[in-house]
Amino acid sequence: VGVSTNAGSAIAFTLPKGATTWAAEPKLTANPPAGGDNFGSAVALSPTTASTGAPGDNTAAGPDAGSVHVFVP
């Protein structure tokens, strides 16, 4: 099943210790992805965490209230 426009996704790359080639990690997506969420419009990274904004996400706070998705290993 397809996802509507502007659902968004992100791909992280890591450089394993001692490696000389970057490796693509599994794609990061909102759960569930929805059109208009604009997932990935803002990203913050630390050594162990990726946070991704979805300013158009509909939440209990209201339509297009937005959300942040936090990914940790």
Side-chain angles (χ1 to χ4, degrees):
V1 175
V3 176
S4 301
T5 305
N6 295 325
S9 65
I11 299 176
F13 292 84
T14 58
L15 183 61
K17 187 174 183 175
T20 58
T21 306
W22 289 88
E25 297 297 325
K27 187 187 318 187
L28 304 175
T29 58
N31 186 13
D37 283 357
N38 296 310
F39 176 87
S41 63
V43 175
L45 301 173
S46 78
T48 60
T49 306
S51 300
T52 305
D57 191 14
N58 298 331
T59 70
D64 295 335
S67 63
V68 174
H69 300 262
V70 179
F71 300 89
V72 293

